[in-house]
Structure formats: structure tokens, C-alpha cells
């Protein structure tokens, strides 16, 4: 019933109790998941995980933190991984200016190279964008045929409206359940329901009342319940709508 559109279940922190997490996911109705790559090793693990479980799909790509490793050879490695039918997106890619390491120009080059790959392969993208709204919008504007999701969205409602107008989707993590999450709440209340994805970004961003703990996909229903409460619909309706949206975006 619930689809976690952005998880890192390949992370080593899940290995000690991996089977227990899968059991909790089943108990909580989490029946689909996208496992997202951040660099080449995690992308390879994501594909392996998706091949092992028929309800998991994969995205491959380099997070801004890994931008310095993105060159033509790395792009060809990602292109080869995309030949696997379990790979449904390029990601997570984008910009993160919080620490500016790697430098902005290096991040932008890697972002553009991976957007070009998505364009060539007709795949959606999973965008990580932090404190780089203007440059992020400028770069995606250069690739009008590519759409996808801005995961863990941190922008304004005006930015979200513009993204939706261009055919993009907005991903919400446990942050939307935090008391100080005013921008995320406004966006989740106002944008069309069929443009919303729910996600954990596990092991990060655990929702209330688990904030500060290790997150895992069994907790994605808490995000759906918050979306439901904001929009005056049932949790079941929010779950069904966001799962259908994930299936549509990722062509599952």
C-alpha cells in the first residue's frame, strides 16, 4: 500500500537487523521502494538489492558530495547499470551548497553530465538540491525533456508551483512532520496530490515521534499520515495516491 520513493536500504547501518526491517515493512504495509544510489558503489548495491527483491527498484547516480568523481568513464559505468530493467531513474544527483565541498562548478558539471545521461536514456531523475535553488532551476531548465522528483523538498511554495507546472514531482520526508517545518507543510497542503511522493531518505530524516533515531522504510506511513492530515483525507487515500504517483513517475 505504501511506496517509499527514496531509501538507502543498502547502507551498512541496516545490515545487523535487515530481516527485521523487512518484516516491519510488511507489517506496516510498505509494498514498494526505490533504493537510491549516491556514488558508484551504492548504485551497484542498489541494483543488486533490486534484483534480489521484486518490490524494490533502483536509481543510479552520484550525489553532489561525489561530484568530483563524475567523469566520462563514470557516466559510462552508470549507463551500463541502466541496462538492467530494475533501474528506473538517475539519482540522486543535483547540488548541495551547504558546505560547498566539492566546489560549485564541480557540482554543476557533474549535475549536467548526469542530466544529459537521463535525457539520452529517457529516464526520470531524483534531485538532491540544498541551498542551491536558483542554480538548480537554471540547470533543469537546460534539459526541458527531463523531469523527475525534487526529493526532501526544501524550497518555497512558489518554487514548487513552478516545478509542478514543468511536470516535476515533489518528495516529502519525515521533515514534514517536524513542528518547525513551515515551508514543507505549506507545499504539502497546496500542490496537487498527484504530484506528491512520500519517502524516508533512510537512514536519515526519521519522522516524529522517532526524530533523531535511525530511519527505515517501515516508517514511511508516518509521512503519508501527515500528508493526509494536512489535506483532510484518509491515510489510506494518501498511501494509494502517492503509490500510484511513484508508479507513474518511475514507470513501474
Amino acid at each position: 500500500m505504501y511506496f517509499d520513493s527514496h531509501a538507502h536500504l543498502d547502507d551498512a547501518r541496516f545490515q545487523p537487523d535487515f530481516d527485521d526491517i523487512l518484516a516491519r515493512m510488511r507489517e506496516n504495509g510498505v509494498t514498494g521502494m526505490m533504493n537510491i544510489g549516491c556514488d558508484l558503489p551504492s548504485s551497484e548495491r542498489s541494483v543488486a538489492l533490486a534484483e534480489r527483491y521484486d518490490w524494490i527498484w533502483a536509481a543510479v547516480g552520484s550525489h553532489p558530495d561525489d561530484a568530483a568523481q563524475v567523469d566520462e568513464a563514470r557516466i559510462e559505468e552508470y549507463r551500463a547499470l541502466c541496462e538492467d530493467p530494475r533501474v528506473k531513474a538517475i539519482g540522486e544527483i543535483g547540488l548541495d551548497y551547504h558546505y560547498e565541498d566539492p566546489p560549485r562548478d564541480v557540482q554543476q558539471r557533474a549535475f549536467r553530465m548526469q542530466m544529459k545521461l537521463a535525457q539520452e536514456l529517457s529516464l526520470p531523475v531524483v534531485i538532491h538540491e540544498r541551498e542551491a535553488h536558483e542554480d538548480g532551476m537554471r540547470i533543469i531548465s537546460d534539459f526541458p525533456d527531463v523531469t523527475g522528483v525534487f526529493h526532501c523538498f526544501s524550497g518555497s511554495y512558489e518554487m514548487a508551483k513552478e516545478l509542478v507546472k514543468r511536470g516535476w514531482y515533489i518528495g516529502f520526508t519525515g521533515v514534514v512532520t517536524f513542528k518547525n517545518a513551515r515551508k514543507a507543510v505549506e507545499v504539502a497542503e497546496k500542490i496537487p496530490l498527484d504530484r506528491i511522493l512520500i519517502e524516508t531518505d533512510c537512514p536519515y530524516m526519521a519522522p516524529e515521534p522517532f526524530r533523531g533515531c535511525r530511519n527505515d522504510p517501515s516508517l514511511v506511513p508516518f509521512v503519508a499520515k501527515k500528508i493526509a492530515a494536512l489535506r483532510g483525507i484518509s491515510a489510506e487515500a494518501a498511501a494509494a495516491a502517492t503509490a500510484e504517483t511513484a508508479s507513474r513517475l518511475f514507470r513501474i
Side-chain angles (χ1 to χ4, degrees), residues 59-98:
V60 301
S62 283
H63 183 283
D65 289 351
D66 191 56
Q69 307 305 315
V70 178
D71 54 17
E72 291 298 340
R74 176 61 55 85
I75 292 297
E76 291 311 307
E77 289 175 301
Y78 288 146
R79 188 189 303 275
L81 287 175
C82 289
E83 293 178 4
D84 191 305
R86 304 300 297 175
V87 176
K88 297 297 185 180
I90 302 296
E92 62 187 284
I93 65 176
L95 303 171
D96 192 322
Y97 290 173
H98 187 68

mmCIF file of all heavy atoms in Angstrom, residues 59-98:
data_model
loop_
_atom_site.group_PDB
_atom_site.id
_atom_site.type_symbol
_atom_site.label_atom_id
_atom_site.label_comp_id
_atom_site.label_asym_id
_atom_site.label_seq_id
_atom_site.Cartn_x
_atom_site.Cartn_y
_atom_site.Cartn_z
ATOM 1 N N ALA A 59 17.745 3.415 -8.454
ATOM 2 C CA ALA A 59 18.238 4.586 -9.177
ATOM 3 C C ALA A 59 19.754 4.596 -9.026
ATOM 4 O O ALA A 59 20.282 4.209 -7.981
ATOM 5 C CB ALA A 59 17.647 5.873 -8.603
ATOM 6 N N VAL A 60 20.446 5.029 -10.072
ATOM 7 C CA VAL A 60 21.908 5.049 -10.040
ATOM 8 C C VAL A 60 22.409 6.453 -10.360
ATOM 9 O O VAL A 60 21.853 7.140 -11.213
ATOM 10 C CB VAL A 60 22.516 4.024 -11.024
ATOM 11 C CG1 VAL A 60 22.037 2.617 -10.684
ATOM 12 C CG2 VAL A 60 22.192 4.355 -12.469
ATOM 13 N N GLY A 61 23.454 6.873 -9.641
ATOM 14 C CA GLY A 61 24.000 8.198 -9.891
ATOM 15 C C GLY A 61 24.883 8.665 -8.752
ATOM 16 O O GLY A 61 25.067 7.969 -7.755
ATOM 17 N N SER A 62 25.414 9.868 -8.919
ATOM 18 C CA SER A 62 26.327 10.462 -7.937
ATOM 19 C C SER A 62 25.707 11.692 -7.287
ATOM 20 O O SER A 62 25.351 12.669 -7.970
ATOM 21 C CB SER A 62 27.650 10.864 -8.599
ATOM 22 O OG SER A 62 28.473 9.744 -8.815
ATOM 23 N N HIS A 63 25.577 11.630 -5.980
ATOM 24 C CA HIS A 63 25.171 12.744 -5.122
ATOM 25 C C HIS A 63 26.175 13.885 -5.308
ATOM 26 O O HIS A 63 27.328 13.657 -5.678
ATOM 27 C CB HIS A 63 25.187 12.215 -3.687
ATOM 28 C CG HIS A 63 24.732 13.154 -2.636
ATOM 29 N ND1 HIS A 63 25.516 14.179 -2.163
ATOM 30 C CD2 HIS A 63 23.576 13.196 -1.913
ATOM 31 C CE1 HIS A 63 24.866 14.820 -1.211
ATOM 32 N NE2 HIS A 63 23.686 14.254 -1.039
ATOM 33 N N PRO A 64 25.767 15.128 -5.038
ATOM 34 C CA PRO A 64 26.730 16.235 -5.133
ATOM 35 C C PRO A 64 28.024 16.012 -4.353
ATOM 36 O O PRO A 64 29.088 16.463 -4.782
ATOM 37 C CB PRO A 64 25.941 17.420 -4.575
ATOM 38 C CG PRO A 64 24.516 17.093 -4.837
ATOM 39 C CD PRO A 64 24.401 15.611 -4.738
ATOM 40 N N ASP A 65 27.960 15.321 -3.222
ATOM 41 C CA ASP A 65 29.175 15.048 -2.455
ATOM 42 C C ASP A 65 30.186 14.220 -3.246
ATOM 43 O O ASP A 65 31.379 14.235 -2.946
ATOM 44 C CB ASP A 65 28.835 14.304 -1.161
ATOM 45 C CG ASP A 65 28.125 15.184 -0.147
ATOM 46 O OD1 ASP A 65 28.047 16.410 -0.356
ATOM 47 O OD2 ASP A 65 27.632 14.628 0.866
ATOM 48 N N ASP A 66 29.709 13.477 -4.229
ATOM 49 C CA ASP A 66 30.553 12.604 -5.045
ATOM 50 C C ASP A 66 30.862 13.226 -6.407
ATOM 51 O O ASP A 66 31.411 12.569 -7.285
ATOM 52 C CB ASP A 66 29.845 11.256 -5.234
ATOM 53 C CG ASP A 66 30.743 10.185 -5.839
ATOM 54 O OD1 ASP A 66 31.817 9.915 -5.262
ATOM 55 O OD2 ASP A 66 30.358 9.608 -6.887
ATOM 56 N N ALA A 67 30.547 14.504 -6.570
ATOM 57 C CA ALA A 67 30.635 15.140 -7.887
ATOM 58 C C ALA A 67 32.030 15.096 -8.488
ATOM 59 O O ALA A 67 32.191 14.991 -9.711
ATOM 60 C CB ALA A 67 30.155 16.592 -7.796
ATOM 61 N N ALA A 68 33.055 15.168 -7.652
ATOM 62 C CA ALA A 68 34.428 15.177 -8.167
ATOM 63 C C ALA A 68 34.800 13.863 -8.850
ATOM 64 O O ALA A 68 35.770 13.817 -9.622
ATOM 65 C CB ALA A 68 35.411 15.470 -7.042
ATOM 66 N N GLN A 69 34.029 12.808 -8.586
ATOM 67 C CA GLN A 69 34.314 11.504 -9.183
ATOM 68 C C GLN A 69 33.592 11.302 -10.512
ATOM 69 O O GLN A 69 33.787 10.270 -11.167
ATOM 70 C CB GLN A 69 33.899 10.388 -8.214
ATOM 71 C CG GLN A 69 34.490 10.514 -6.826
ATOM 72 C CD GLN A 69 36.001 10.610 -6.840
ATOM 73 O OE1 GLN A 69 36.672 9.865 -7.549
ATOM 74 N NE2 GLN A 69 36.542 11.540 -6.053
ATOM 75 N N VAL A 70 32.774 12.256 -10.885
ATOM 76 C CA VAL A 70 31.974 12.099 -12.106
ATOM 77 C C VAL A 70 32.766 12.596 -13.306
ATOM 78 O O VAL A 70 33.089 13.770 -13.427
ATOM 79 C CB VAL A 70 30.636 12.850 -11.993
ATOM 80 C CG1 VAL A 70 29.845 12.724 -13.295
ATOM 81 C CG2 VAL A 70 29.822 12.311 -10.827
ATOM 82 N N ASP A 71 33.092 11.664 -14.194
ATOM 83 C CA ASP A 71 33.754 11.978 -15.459
ATOM 84 C C ASP A 71 33.109 11.097 -16.526
ATOM 85 O O ASP A 71 32.129 10.389 -16.260
ATOM 86 C CB ASP A 71 35.262 11.746 -15.367
ATOM 87 C CG ASP A 71 35.634 10.346 -14.883
ATOM 88 O OD1 ASP A 71 34.764 9.438 -14.912
ATOM 89 O OD2 ASP A 71 36.793 10.147 -14.466
ATOM 90 N N GLU A 72 33.644 11.120 -17.719
ATOM 91 C CA GLU A 72 33.027 10.350 -18.802
ATOM 92 C C GLU A 72 33.045 8.847 -18.502
ATOM 93 O O GLU A 72 32.097 8.123 -18.830
ATOM 94 C CB GLU A 72 33.735 10.637 -20.127
ATOM 95 C CG GLU A 72 33.502 12.040 -20.657
ATOM 96 C CD GLU A 72 32.043 12.333 -20.967
ATOM 97 O OE1 GLU A 72 31.247 11.377 -21.134
ATOM 98 O OE2 GLU A 72 31.681 13.522 -21.043
ATOM 99 N N ALA A 73 34.111 8.382 -17.852
ATOM 100 C CA ALA A 73 34.178 6.963 -17.509
ATOM 101 C C ALA A 73 33.084 6.585 -16.518
ATOM 102 O O ALA A 73 32.448 5.525 -16.639
ATOM 103 C CB ALA A 73 35.553 6.621 -16.946
ATOM 104 N N ARG A 74 32.859 7.449 -15.516
ATOM 105 C CA ARG A 74 31.808 7.173 -14.531
ATOM 106 C C ARG A 74 30.430 7.177 -15.207
ATOM 107 O O ARG A 74 29.571 6.328 -14.909
ATOM 108 C CB ARG A 74 31.858 8.205 -13.403
ATOM 109 C CG ARG A 74 30.756 8.084 -12.362
ATOM 110 C CD ARG A 74 30.767 6.745 -11.628
ATOM 111 N NE ARG A 74 32.044 6.450 -11.024
ATOM 112 C CZ ARG A 74 32.429 6.877 -9.825
ATOM 113 N NH1 ARG A 74 31.632 7.623 -9.097
ATOM 114 N NH2 ARG A 74 33.608 6.541 -9.351
ATOM 115 N N ILE A 75 30.224 8.113 -16.114
ATOM 116 C CA ILE A 75 28.946 8.164 -16.837
ATOM 117 C C ILE A 75 28.713 6.862 -17.596
ATOM 118 O O ILE A 75 27.594 6.322 -17.614
ATOM 119 C CB ILE A 75 28.902 9.375 -17.789
ATOM 120 C CG1 ILE A 75 28.859 10.685 -16.986
ATOM 121 C CG2 ILE A 75 27.701 9.278 -18.741
ATOM 122 C CD1 ILE A 75 27.630 10.872 -16.124
ATOM 123 N N GLU A 76 29.752 6.335 -18.209
ATOM 124 C CA GLU A 76 29.599 5.074 -18.948
ATOM 125 C C GLU A 76 29.306 3.918 -18.012
ATOM 126 O O GLU A 76 28.575 2.981 -18.379
ATOM 127 C CB GLU A 76 30.841 4.807 -19.791
ATOM 128 C CG GLU A 76 30.999 5.777 -20.953
ATOM 129 C CD GLU A 76 29.720 5.917 -21.778
ATOM 130 O OE1 GLU A 76 29.187 4.868 -22.214
ATOM 131 O OE2 GLU A 76 29.244 7.056 -21.969
ATOM 132 N N GLU A 77 29.853 3.968 -16.797
ATOM 133 C CA GLU A 77 29.530 2.921 -15.820
ATOM 134 C C GLU A 77 28.061 3.003 -15.414
ATOM 135 O O GLU A 77 27.389 1.969 -15.269
ATOM 136 C CB GLU A 77 30.447 3.046 -14.607
ATOM 137 C CG GLU A 77 31.890 2.645 -14.903
ATOM 138 C CD GLU A 77 32.830 2.885 -13.750
ATOM 139 O OE1 GLU A 77 32.949 4.052 -13.311
ATOM 140 O OE2 GLU A 77 33.457 1.914 -13.283
ATOM 141 N N TYR A 78 27.558 4.222 -15.234
ATOM 142 C CA TYR A 78 26.143 4.371 -14.918
ATOM 143 C C TYR A 78 25.276 3.959 -16.110
ATOM 144 O O TYR A 78 24.221 3.341 -15.933
ATOM 145 C CB TYR A 78 25.834 5.813 -14.512
ATOM 146 C CG TYR A 78 26.362 6.199 -13.145
ATOM 147 C CD1 TYR A 78 26.806 7.494 -12.885
ATOM 148 C CD2 TYR A 78 26.407 5.276 -12.107
ATOM 149 C CE1 TYR A 78 27.286 7.851 -11.639
ATOM 150 C CE2 TYR A 78 26.890 5.623 -10.856
ATOM 151 C CZ TYR A 78 27.326 6.912 -10.628
ATOM 152 O OH TYR A 78 27.804 7.253 -9.384
ATOM 153 N N ARG A 79 25.725 4.281 -17.310
ATOM 154 C CA ARG A 79 24.968 3.883 -18.494
ATOM 155 C C ARG A 79 24.833 2.351 -18.557
ATOM 156 O O ARG A 79 23.761 1.829 -18.869
ATOM 157 C CB ARG A 79 25.655 4.404 -19.762
ATOM 158 C CG ARG A 79 24.819 4.201 -21.030
ATOM 159 C CD ARG A 79 25.639 4.538 -22.278
ATOM 160 N NE ARG A 79 26.161 5.891 -22.227
ATOM 161 C CZ ARG A 79 25.474 6.963 -22.605
ATOM 162 N NH1 ARG A 79 24.243 6.840 -23.058
ATOM 163 N NH2 ARG A 79 26.037 8.161 -22.547
ATOM 164 N N ALA A 80 25.914 1.656 -18.240
ATOM 165 C CA ALA A 80 25.887 0.195 -18.251
ATOM 166 C C ALA A 80 24.919 -0.339 -17.191
ATOM 167 O O ALA A 80 24.169 -1.296 -17.444
ATOM 168 C CB ALA A 80 27.285 -0.359 -18.032
ATOM 169 N N LEU A 81 24.922 0.261 -15.997
ATOM 170 C CA LEU A 81 23.995 -0.176 -14.956
ATOM 171 C C LEU A 81 22.544 0.026 -15.388
ATOM 172 O O LEU A 81 21.664 -0.775 -15.022
ATOM 173 C CB LEU A 81 24.254 0.593 -13.653
ATOM 174 C CG LEU A 81 25.509 0.222 -12.871
ATOM 175 C CD1 LEU A 81 25.675 1.158 -11.673
ATOM 176 C CD2 LEU A 81 25.477 -1.229 -12.398
ATOM 177 N N CYS A 82 22.299 1.058 -16.167
ATOM 178 C CA CYS A 82 20.933 1.360 -16.600
ATOM 179 C C CYS A 82 20.390 0.344 -17.595
ATOM 180 O O CYS A 82 19.187 0.358 -17.906
ATOM 181 C CB CYS A 82 20.864 2.760 -17.213
ATOM 182 S SG CYS A 82 21.037 4.099 -16.006
ATOM 183 N N GLU A 83 21.225 -0.534 -18.080
ATOM 184 C CA GLU A 83 20.741 -1.601 -18.961
ATOM 185 C C GLU A 83 19.924 -2.624 -18.184
ATOM 186 O O GLU A 83 19.154 -3.387 -18.770
ATOM 187 C CB GLU A 83 21.919 -2.276 -19.662
ATOM 188 C CG GLU A 83 22.637 -1.361 -20.648
ATOM 189 C CD GLU A 83 23.838 -2.023 -21.294
ATOM 190 O OE1 GLU A 83 24.077 -3.229 -21.023
ATOM 191 O OE2 GLU A 83 24.542 -1.347 -22.064
ATOM 192 N N ASP A 84 20.089 -2.646 -16.867
ATOM 193 C CA ASP A 84 19.304 -3.549 -16.031
ATOM 194 C C ASP A 84 17.872 -3.012 -15.937
ATOM 195 O O ASP A 84 17.667 -1.843 -15.590
ATOM 196 C CB ASP A 84 19.925 -3.631 -14.630
ATOM 197 C CG ASP A 84 19.326 -4.742 -13.798
ATOM 198 O OD1 ASP A 84 18.091 -4.768 -13.627
ATOM 199 O OD2 ASP A 84 20.096 -5.584 -13.301
ATOM 200 N N PRO A 85 16.860 -3.826 -16.220
ATOM 201 C CA PRO A 85 15.473 -3.339 -16.189
ATOM 202 C C PRO A 85 14.982 -2.925 -14.812
ATOM 203 O O PRO A 85 13.948 -2.266 -14.692
ATOM 204 C CB PRO A 85 14.670 -4.538 -16.720
ATOM 205 C CG PRO A 85 15.541 -5.732 -16.496
ATOM 206 C CD PRO A 85 16.943 -5.227 -16.659
ATOM 207 N N ARG A 86 15.726 -3.269 -13.757
ATOM 208 C CA ARG A 86 15.338 -2.847 -12.412
ATOM 209 C C ARG A 86 15.722 -1.399 -12.135
ATOM 210 O O ARG A 86 15.279 -0.821 -11.137
ATOM 211 C CB ARG A 86 16.000 -3.748 -11.349
ATOM 212 C CG ARG A 86 15.715 -5.228 -11.508
ATOM 213 C CD ARG A 86 14.245 -5.542 -11.424
ATOM 214 N NE ARG A 86 13.682 -5.219 -10.116
ATOM 215 C CZ ARG A 86 12.390 -5.312 -9.833
ATOM 216 N NH1 ARG A 86 11.525 -5.690 -10.761
ATOM 217 N NH2 ARG A 86 11.949 -5.005 -8.625
ATOM 218 N N VAL A 87 16.532 -0.794 -12.998
ATOM 219 C CA VAL A 87 16.933 0.609 -12.836
ATOM 220 C C VAL A 87 15.881 1.497 -13.486
ATOM 221 O O VAL A 87 15.621 1.389 -14.684
ATOM 222 C CB VAL A 87 18.316 0.872 -13.437
ATOM 223 C CG1 VAL A 87 18.670 2.360 -13.336
ATOM 224 C CG2 VAL A 87 19.372 0.029 -12.738
ATOM 225 N N LYS A 88 15.297 2.388 -12.692
ATOM 226 C CA LYS A 88 14.180 3.200 -13.162
ATOM 227 C C LYS A 88 14.459 4.700 -13.143
ATOM 228 O O LYS A 88 13.584 5.487 -13.508
ATOM 229 C CB LYS A 88 12.940 2.912 -12.300
ATOM 230 C CG LYS A 88 12.440 1.482 -12.400
ATOM 231 C CD LYS A 88 11.975 1.141 -13.815
ATOM 232 C CE LYS A 88 11.368 -0.256 -13.902
ATOM 233 N NZ LYS A 88 10.934 -0.573 -15.285
ATOM 234 N N ALA A 89 15.651 5.130 -12.700
ATOM 235 C CA ALA A 89 15.928 6.563 -12.621
ATOM 236 C C ALA A 89 17.428 6.796 -12.477
ATOM 237 O O ALA A 89 18.185 5.894 -12.102
ATOM 238 C CB ALA A 89 15.191 7.197 -11.442
ATOM 239 N N ILE A 90 17.824 8.035 -12.767
ATOM 240 C CA ILE A 90 19.173 8.515 -12.491
ATOM 241 C C ILE A 90 19.107 9.342 -11.213
ATOM 242 O O ILE A 90 18.343 10.298 -11.106
ATOM 243 C CB ILE A 90 19.713 9.384 -13.650
ATOM 244 C CG1 ILE A 90 19.707 8.609 -14.974
ATOM 245 C CG2 ILE A 90 21.112 9.899 -13.317
ATOM 246 C CD1 ILE A 90 20.620 7.411 -15.007
ATOM 247 N N GLY A 91 19.909 8.976 -10.221
ATOM 248 C CA GLY A 91 19.869 9.738 -8.986
ATOM 249 C C GLY A 91 20.556 9.016 -7.832
ATOM 250 O O GLY A 91 20.885 7.826 -7.965
ATOM 251 N N GLU A 92 20.884 9.705 -6.716
ATOM 252 C CA GLU A 92 20.424 11.063 -6.619
ATOM 253 C C GLU A 92 21.513 12.006 -7.094
ATOM 254 O O GLU A 92 22.668 11.870 -6.723
ATOM 255 C CB GLU A 92 19.964 11.413 -5.208
ATOM 256 C CG GLU A 92 21.021 11.335 -4.111
ATOM 257 C CD GLU A 92 20.452 11.534 -2.712
ATOM 258 O OE1 GLU A 92 20.157 12.700 -2.345
ATOM 259 O OE2 GLU A 92 20.324 10.519 -2.006
ATOM 260 N N ILE A 93 21.119 12.981 -7.872
ATOM 261 C CA ILE A 93 22.028 13.934 -8.484
ATOM 262 C C ILE A 93 21.581 15.338 -8.091
ATOM 263 O O ILE A 93 20.482 15.518 -7.578
ATOM 264 C CB ILE A 93 22.055 13.776 -10.015
ATOM 265 C CG1 ILE A 93 20.685 14.132 -10.628
ATOM 266 C CG2 ILE A 93 22.440 12.348 -10.380
ATOM 267 C CD1 ILE A 93 20.647 14.093 -12.150
ATOM 268 N N GLY A 94 22.439 16.334 -8.330
ATOM 269 C CA GLY A 94 22.000 17.693 -8.045
ATOM 270 C C GLY A 94 23.078 18.586 -7.484
ATOM 271 O O GLY A 94 24.254 18.479 -7.850
ATOM 272 N N LEU A 95 22.662 19.443 -6.548
ATOM 273 C CA LEU A 95 23.543 20.473 -5.986
ATOM 274 C C LEU A 95 23.339 20.579 -4.482
ATOM 275 O O LEU A 95 22.205 20.498 -4.002
ATOM 276 C CB LEU A 95 23.244 21.837 -6.612
ATOM 277 C CG LEU A 95 23.331 21.959 -8.136
ATOM 278 C CD1 LEU A 95 22.797 23.319 -8.588
ATOM 279 C CD2 LEU A 95 24.756 21.749 -8.622
ATOM 280 N N ASP A 96 24.426 20.774 -3.750
ATOM 281 C CA ASP A 96 24.350 20.993 -2.308
ATOM 282 C C ASP A 96 25.381 22.051 -1.949
ATOM 283 O O ASP A 96 26.583 21.785 -1.934
ATOM 284 C CB ASP A 96 24.622 19.702 -1.550
ATOM 285 C CG ASP A 96 24.262 19.805 -0.070
ATOM 286 O OD1 ASP A 96 24.510 20.883 0.520
ATOM 287 O OD2 ASP A 96 23.749 18.822 0.492
ATOM 288 N N TYR A 97 24.900 23.259 -1.656
ATOM 289 C CA TYR A 97 25.794 24.380 -1.372
ATOM 290 C C TYR A 97 25.968 24.624 0.125
ATOM 291 O O TYR A 97 26.527 25.644 0.527
ATOM 292 C CB TYR A 97 25.256 25.658 -2.023
ATOM 293 C CG TYR A 97 25.341 25.688 -3.540
ATOM 294 C CD1 TYR A 97 24.751 26.730 -4.249
ATOM 295 C CD2 TYR A 97 26.004 24.699 -4.256
ATOM 296 C CE1 TYR A 97 24.825 26.784 -5.634
ATOM 297 C CE2 TYR A 97 26.078 24.743 -5.638
ATOM 298 C CZ TYR A 97 25.484 25.791 -6.324
ATOM 299 O OH TYR A 97 25.551 25.844 -7.706
ATOM 300 N N HIS A 98 25.479 23.716 0.952
ATOM 301 C CA HIS A 98 25.576 23.947 2.399
ATOM 302 C C HIS A 98 27.028 24.043 2.850
ATOM 303 O O HIS A 98 27.378 24.912 3.649
ATOM 304 C CB HIS A 98 24.852 22.828 3.150
ATOM 305 C CG HIS A 98 24.757 23.060 4.624
ATOM 306 N ND1 HIS A 98 23.986 24.072 5.169
ATOM 307 C CD2 HIS A 98 25.335 22.416 5.677
ATOM 308 C CE1 HIS A 98 24.089 24.039 6.486
ATOM 309 N NE2 HIS A 98 24.906 23.051 6.824
#
